[in-house]
Amino acid sequence: MVRSLAPGRAAPRVAGYPTSSNRASSLHLRWELPAGTGAVVAASVAVEVEAAPAVPDLYFWALQASFVDGAGRHHGGGHLGLQWHRPHPGSRAVNWGGYGPEGRTLDGSASPLPSATGNPNTRDLWWEPGEPYTLTIQRAAEGGWAGTVGGRRIRRLDAGGDRLGGLMVWSEVFARCDAPAVAVRWSAFRVTTTEGGVVAPVAVHVNYQRRADGGCDNSTAM
């Protein structure tokens, strides 16, 4: 089948690098929790990279949450996930970092994991394609927010708030739009409330980075 474009309409971006300011193309899945869920103090999801990327460019798959309090004030947010990051052993890494409400990088505890890049947020962590890893963000007993992968604590972020909001998972890909496809499977979406209830989202809503913002047109969620 041959498909023609309407006059004046830009051609799809399916080749070359994304043209966004950070040269990445992103895809977000925003969580919709059931009405009346209440305050959320932990969120988790399993991520499985079906096959390792074939190119050395950076890939990042993460769970993201905002840190909020009972008055609705925002105290920043963090993202926890696996990376395909060439400077790290076997190109495997984990990142748990975030930003305060004013945009500054959040401080946090030192991680017990080493880091080939010396980055406090990005640490060496070997992960295997085809295996699911549970990402969890939860309130730390000593204050702040802890991030764990497969039950292994990565570090703590120093941020206020006593509950989580704005939950989503996302892919951020710094490779060419025509690089070999990489599939990621998300499952076991869960939140825990202050009352101890465990709740799953009723839906996730996909948001693709717009072509006008530099995204690739061949990203797909299904």
Side-chain angles (χ1 to χ4, degrees):
M1 183 176 85
V2 177
R3 182 169 63 88
S4 62
L5 297 174
R9 185 176 175 184
R13 182 177 293 109
V14 294
Y17 283 103
T19 61
S20 55
S21 59
N22 64 347
R23 211 191 71 173
S25 183
S26 302
L27 181 159
H28 303 81
L29 297 174
R30 303 180 186 276
W31 300 17
E32 179 186 343
L33 297 177
T37 295
V40 171
V41 293
S44 65
V45 66
V47 59
E48 175 188 341
V49 183
E50 294 188 354
V55 297
D57 301 281
L58 174 63
Y59 289 71
F60 190 6
W61 307 281
L63 167 65
Q64 178 174 311
S66 298
F67 310 133
V68 297
D69 62 27
R73 292 184 295 262
H74 284 255
H75 298 263
H79 44 254
L80 169 70
L82 304 181
Q83 290 188 341
W84 178 255
H85 196 7
R86 190 176 187 179
H88 293 265
S91 295
R92 269 78 159 185
V94 62
N95 181 287
W96 173 221
Y99 300 92
E102 72 290 344
R104 69 173 180 85
T105 300
L106 291 172
D107 295 325
S109 65
S111 175
L113 301 176
S115 175
T117 57
N119 187 310
N121 301 332
T122 307
R123 317 304 295 180
D124 305 338
L125 181 70
W126 190 272
W127 51 266
E128 290 288 351
E131 292 188 11
Y133 293 84
T134 299
L135 312 176
T136 303
I137 299 172
Q138 59 191 349
R139 187 70 178 157
E142 66 272 34
W145 297 91
T148 64
V149 176
R152 184 173 190 174
R153 184 160 170 167
I154 306 305
R155 65 194 293 250
R156 185 194 73 251
L157 290 184
D158 296 330
D162 61 0
R163 62 198 67 190
L164 299 174
L167 292 165
M168 68 180 79
V169 294
W170 45 255
S171 297
E172 192 169 52
V173 178
F174 294 76
R176 293 172 58 93
C177 299
D178 51 342
V182 175
V184 175
R185 185 184 302 274
W186 298 98
S187 62
F189 296 73
R190 297 287 186 272
V191 302
T192 302
T193 68
T194 52
E195 291 78 24
V198 177
V199 180
V202 294
V204 294
H205 302 279
V206 64
N207 175 56
Y208 298 104
Q209 187 172 8
R210 298 185 309 157
R211 183 187 313 156
D213 295 330
C216 297
D217 283 298
N218 51 357
S219 298
T220 304
M222 57 185 176

